Amino acid sequence: MFIPLTCPLFWVLQVAHVGGQEDGDHEGCVPGFQVKNYQVAYSGPFQKGQALLQVEFDDCAGNKDVKFEVSDPSFHVDRDLNLVPQRDLLLSRPVLFIHGLSAHVDDTARVEIAGLPGHSSHKLRDILGAGQKLPNRSKRSLLVPPVIITENQRAPFPKVIGRVISTEKPGNHIFRLTGPGADRDPKGLFTIDVDTGDVSVSRSLDREEIDSYQLEVSTIDFEGNLAEGPAILVITVIDQNDNRPIFKEKRYTGEVLEGSPNGTIVMTMTAYDADDPATDNAALRYSIVRQSPDKPSSNMFYIDEERGDIVTHISPMLLDRETLPTTTYELEIVAKDMSGREVGLTGTATATITITDKNDHAPEFTHPLFEAYVYEGSTGVVVNLTVDDRDDPATGAWRATYSIINGDPAQSFEIQTNPDNNEGMLSVVKPLDYEATAFHTLLIKVENEDPLVPDAGYGLSSTATVHVTVQDINEGPVFFPDPLIVNRTENIPLGSFVASLNATDPDILQIQSIRYAVLRDPAGWLSVNPVRGTVNTSASLDRESPYVHDNKYTAVFIATDNGNPPATGTGTLIIYLEDYNDNAPYVVPSVARVCEDAHDMNVAIVGGRDKDLPPNTAPFKIELGKQPGLDKTWRVTRVNSTHSQIMLLHSLKKANYQLPLLITDSGVPPLSNNTEVKVQVCVCKKNKMHCSSAHSHLASLQVLLVTLLLGLLCL
């Protein structure tokens, strides 16, 4: 770069200017050089004592006893933090390093001397970073060096942060600054002195909002014509450690299986820092600052300081859920930026770790022997078997399942688990008989729902013996057979023998007597001898009674022993009744109608009915009664085994006639019945019948004929 001789012999450009921290005010302070890279524009020899630039250094403790060393001994940093030559120098090294050291910080800054003879200005890229552009100049020699500024600078504002150099004669032009941050949003953030080209910032910057700005600088004459530029001005905001690490949650939960090997990863804690990830400001380190409880050791867990992985730091033998003072541990985790250095900012969160159970303990009975007493004939739970299991309750490693492995060949018992307390409920499901077996010995086994781990097993304590004593009670007599089924003919004489009841007392070890009585006899036909148990008729047995269903009559008897207290038993007697011809037949229908002028002299078809069973029913014989002269007017002819046809031999006048009939069944001996059929002779007009009976109702002759025809078809 060429700078005209009209400029001062020594021109110094301080690219970034940052105010240091005031003593005692260190919140958000990053110890060390606040600006890491500086540039000095070389325009001729350096003079001894000439201040080239002022470095920005703050050890966050008042800068007491800070020592500086410069890589070129021809330079040093004075008490005002100015970089000055210690002698007159024609040239210098293109890059200088300033080393700052105190009890609180050890840091280095870099200074590039730009424009030295034989040195290209491309070295600036190494200072600014590959992503930033070199100072831009127009073809009219406008020098626009990039600006580096730290965020969060303090008042007063505005504050000069850099200068744009023009080769035009002063007073012939003015500077103009445009772009986002100048005349576009965020407007007014940066300004430029129209006369000197000094660039100022109007307020504090926040790198987390915008980390760089790209503006255009130009000069114009007083007539508004473009004199130089436009050139690009890049302003880079340097990060300060002004953001604490933040965990997404305040409380995290994790689990680890008991007995897990040392170094097992339990969970991962992750915090986030909004500062520049390329700096230590966002370089996080994790640590555990508290473990509660702190038994059996205060460092049961370890956290990888960089990855945040929480791992076990205890032997598998000690990580035993059943022997630990608690199954839940709480860790306070701290994330610190600045790679964990003392000056770093911190964020905290809580990790709750649960030691989960594995089935490494078999259930054990609390007693090797249990006893139970049960009355014979009863069912239900007789004893509760208790067990201990050190595994986690309400899990399959704790829940017990019971089984009877010996002593129950008749499967009279069953055992189930009480879900509330894990006890085994032994029940009698088939009533026990004292006289058959008064004592039962059962062998019970208990297991878990979940299988045991390979290094655990079921021992002798996982089985128990149960002694069940059956207690005698006075059992009621038992009828045999029950029901007792007999066949008898209806209408047998009163006092006839029906059956002999047989009831025995199950209490064979006791001598007891039994007495019989009728418990339920719906028709009142039976009596029983109280001692012998013989059943006789006390009334006539009638198969046609409404108490008989499907030819069966059912009665119930009771037998009572003389025990203390007495016991009873019931038995059923079923009598199949055989039919006897004790019901005379009858004729249906009992009323018939015919027209007085009918050409068809058929009056009606009548049929026989009988309550008895075959062969005491059909075939029926239906004939005219014995009154003389009936055969002159009426005739009865057989249609089939159950029905006959009534016919008129000549016409009759309108009137009601009673026709005597005699019907006889086929029983042995046969039964006959004298009955009458009312024949109404009516006047028939237009298919209407007009009969003389006051109680007669008009009926369609056509309907009557159809009815008679259907009766014939059903035969």
Side-chain angles (χ1 to χ4, degrees):
M1 182 191 70
F2 173 77
I3 299 179
L5 293 178
T6 55
C7 296
L9 182 61
F10 298 100
W11 175 75
V12 179
L13 172 66
Q14 181 178 337
V15 177
H17 174 80
V18 181
Q21 297 287 336
E22 299 177 3
D23 290 348
D25 186 1
H26 309 297
E27 182 179 358
C29 177
V30 180
F33 287 97
Q34 303 303 299
V35 176
K36 304 290 187 182
N37 296 292
Y38 300 85
Q39 184 183 25
V40 174
Y42 177 80
S43 59
F46 298 120
Q47 289 184 344
K48 178 181 177 181
Q50 175 68 43
L52 302 182
L53 60 85
Q54 186 183 46
V55 298
E56 292 290 333
F57 184 88
D58 192 344
D59 70 350
C60 302
N63 283 352
K64 295 179 180 179
D65 300 324
V66 179
K67 296 180 180 179
F68 295 96
E69 292 182 358
V70 183
S71 59
D72 186 341
S74 299
F75 297 88
H76 77 283
V77 177
D78 64 16
R79 296 180 61 182
D80 295 326
L81 302 184
N82 293 316
L83 177 65
V84 297
Q86 299 195 75
R87 57 187 178 85
D88 292 337
L89 296 173
L90 180 62
L91 295 173
S92 73
R93 298 175 184 177
V95 177
L96 304 177
F97 294 95
I98 304 175
H99 182 209
L101 178 65
S102 75
H104 304 282
V105 68
D106 183 349
D107 201 6
T108 301
R110 176 174 175 159
V111 179
E112 179 165 332
I113 310 299
L116 287 171
H119 291 274
S120 172
S121 62
H122 76 277
K123 295 278 186 177
L124 189 57
R125 285 193 175 91
D126 299 328
I127 299 174
L128 300 177
Q132 301 221 14
K133 296 184 178 180
L134 293 171
N136 289 278
R137 296 188 65 194
S138 72
K139 61 183 179 179
R140 300 275 309 268
S141 301
L142 184 65
L143 175 64
V144 186
V147 175
I148 299 175
I149 181 174
T150 58
E151 64 175 337
N152 302 324
Q153 291 202 17
R154 300 189 178 206
F157 292 102
K159 184 178 295 186
V160 176
I161 59 175
R163 173 177 292 180
V164 177
I165 305 300
S166 172
T167 58
E168 293 290 325
K169 291 182 178 181
N172 293 336
H173 64 275
I174 60 174
F175 290 92
R176 181 175 64 180
L177 184 66
T178 60
D183 60 347
R184 302 206 321 256
D185 290 333
K187 293 180 179 180
L189 190 59
F190 302 102
T191 59
I192 191 168
D193 188 298
V194 297
D195 296 321
T196 65
D198 288 339
V199 178
S200 301
V201 62
S202 61
R203 62 178 182 270
S204 177
L205 303 180
D206 186 354
R207 189 205 66 85
E208 285 70 46
E209 292 183 1
I210 301 176
D211 60 1
S212 67
Y213 300 84
Q214 185 168 297
L215 306 172
E216 289 188 352
V217 181
S218 59
T219 60
I220 58 175
D221 60 23
F222 294 108
E223 295 180 356
N225 298 317
L226 182 65
E228 295 173 296
I232 301 299
L233 170 63
V234 176
I235 301 176
T236 301
V237 183
I238 300 300
D239 188 42
Q240 271 196 329
N241 191 21
D242 59 343
N243 288 280
R244 294 182 179 275
I246 297 176
F247 289 92
K248 282 188 174 180
E249 306 290 339
K250 282 297 183 183
R251 184 173 295 274
Y252 294 79
T253 59
E255 295 180 348
V256 61
L257 186 66
E258 64 171 331
S260 296
N262 188 6
T264 299
I265 296 178
V266 180
M267 59 195 298
T268 299
M269 305 289 289
T270 303
Y272 299 90
D273 196 311
D275 289 318
D276 188 352
T279 67
D280 280 354
N281 296 340
L284 305 184
R285 297 295 183 265
Y286 299 91
S287 62
I288 300 173
V289 297
R290 181 181 59 84
Q291 172 189 304
S292 177
D294 58 358
K295 305 296 182 182
S297 78
S298 59
N299 57 345
M300 292 174 58
F301 302 94
Y302 164 80
I303 188 168
D304 186 290
E305 66 172 8
E306 293 187 7
R307 294 193 301 269
D309 295 336
I310 298 178
V311 300
T312 59
H313 190 58
I314 186 173
S315 70
M317 296 294 293
L318 294 178
L319 192 62
D320 184 359
R321 195 195 65 86
E322 290 74 35
T323 60
L324 291 172
T326 181
T327 59
T328 302
Y329 286 84
E330 188 172 276
L331 307 179
E332 184 177 342
I333 309 298
V334 170
K336 181 182 285 190
D337 58 21
M338 296 301 296
S339 297
R341 294 199 298 271
E342 182 180 353
V343 295
L345 302 179
T346 61
T348 61
T350 301
T352 301
I353 299 176
T354 301
I355 313 300
T356 57
D357 189 37
K358 65 179 180 180
N359 197 12
D360 56 347
H361 296 279
E364 298 179 345
F365 284 101
T366 57
H367 306 285
L369 176 65
F370 295 85
E371 293 187 353
Y373 297 88
V374 57
Y375 286 108
E376 64 173 330
S378 64
T379 59
V381 177
V382 296
V383 66
N384 291 313
L385 310 182
T386 54
V387 295
D388 283 334
D389 195 319
R390 297 166 64 190
D391 290 312
D392 187 10
T395 67
W398 177 82
R399 289 190 292 269
T401 60
Y402 299 84
S403 58
I404 302 172
I405 59 177
N406 196 12
D408 187 26
Q411 296 183 341
S412 300
F413 299 88
E414 75 173 15
I415 187 165
Q416 296 179 336
T417 304
N418 187 328
D420 296 328
N421 54 25
N422 217 30
E423 294 179 355
M425 302 182 295
L426 181 65
S427 302
V428 175
V429 293
K430 293 181 181 178
L432 304 177
D433 186 359
Y434 170 81
E435 287 71 27
T437 304
F439 191 79
H440 298 264
T441 299
L442 306 177
L443 187 61
I444 309 296
K445 182 178 181 180
V446 62
E447 298 175 302
N448 285 133
E449 287 184 3
D450 293 346
L452 293 173
V453 296
D455 56 347
Y458 294 102
L460 293 177
S461 298
S462 296
T463 58
T465 301
V466 180
H467 288 166
V468 180
T469 301
V470 183
Q471 296 178 314
D472 187 30
I473 63 172
N474 185 26
E475 299 174 86
V478 178
F479 284 84
F480 182 82
D482 187 23
L484 174 61
I485 301 175
V486 298
N487 293 305
R488 293 294 181 267
T489 303
E490 64 174 333
N491 297 329
I492 59 177
L494 269 62
S496 296
F497 173 78
V498 176
S500 180
L501 303 177
N502 178 31
T504 59
D505 195 329
D507 299 307
I508 58 177
L509 301 181
Q510 303 179 32
I511 300 175
Q512 298 183 140
S513 61
I514 297 176
R515 295 183 65 84
Y516 299 90
V518 177
L519 181 62
R520 186 167 64 251
D521 180 14
W525 292 342
L526 305 174
S527 64
V528 64
N529 185 290
V531 178
R532 296 191 300 273
T534 54
V535 179
N536 297 82
T537 61
S538 59
S540 179
L541 305 181
D542 183 6
R543 191 197 64 81
E544 292 76 30
S545 167
Y547 298 108
V548 177
H549 303 284
D550 296 329
N551 303 320
K552 294 185 299 183
Y553 180 73
T554 302
V556 180
F557 296 85
I558 186 170
T560 306
D561 64 20
N562 62 344
N564 185 21
T568 61
T570 59
T572 301
L573 173 63
I574 297 176
I575 305 173
Y576 276 89
L577 293 174
E578 299 173 356
D579 189 40
Y580 179 80
N581 194 19
D582 58 347
N583 290 280
Y586 56 95
V587 174
V588 293
S590 60
V591 178
R593 291 178 177 178
V594 64
C595 295
E596 63 177 352
D597 56 351
H599 299 290
D600 184 1
M601 305 304 287
N602 294 324
V603 176
I605 294 177
V606 294
R609 298 286 188 274
D610 198 320
K611 293 181 179 180
D612 292 318
L613 295 176
N616 297 322
T617 56
F620 298 110
K621 181 181 179 182
I622 302 175
E623 55 189 335
L624 292 173
K626 302 303 182 182
Q627 291 85 339
L630 289 177
D631 56 351
K632 303 298 184 182
T633 304
W634 309 91
R635 178 183 294 173
V636 177
T637 58
R638 180 170 178 165
V639 176
N640 55 32
S641 63
T642 57
H643 289 75
S644 296
Q645 175 78 58
I646 299 175
M647 300 178 59
L648 273 173
L649 300 179
H650 56 81
S651 298
L652 295 176
K653 296 297 184 181
K654 175 183 177 182
N656 293 332
Y657 301 89
Q658 297 294 333
L659 175 61
L661 296 177
L662 177 65
I663 180 171
T664 305
D665 62 22
S666 298
V668 179
L671 289 180
S672 298
N673 184 22
N674 287 300
T675 185
E676 291 182 343
V677 174
K678 181 180 179 180
V679 180
Q680 292 181 302
V681 179
C682 306
V683 175
C684 299
K685 293 181 178 180
K686 296 182 179 180
N687 295 332
K688 297 280 182 83
M689 300 184 73
H690 302 277
C691 303
S692 61
S693 174
H695 300 288
S696 300
H697 58 276
L698 297 180
S700 169
L701 181 59
Q702 183 178 1
V703 173
L704 177 60
L705 294 176
V706 171
T707 302
L708 294 175
L709 181 59
L710 289 175
L712 287 172
L713 293 175
C714 294
L715 300 179

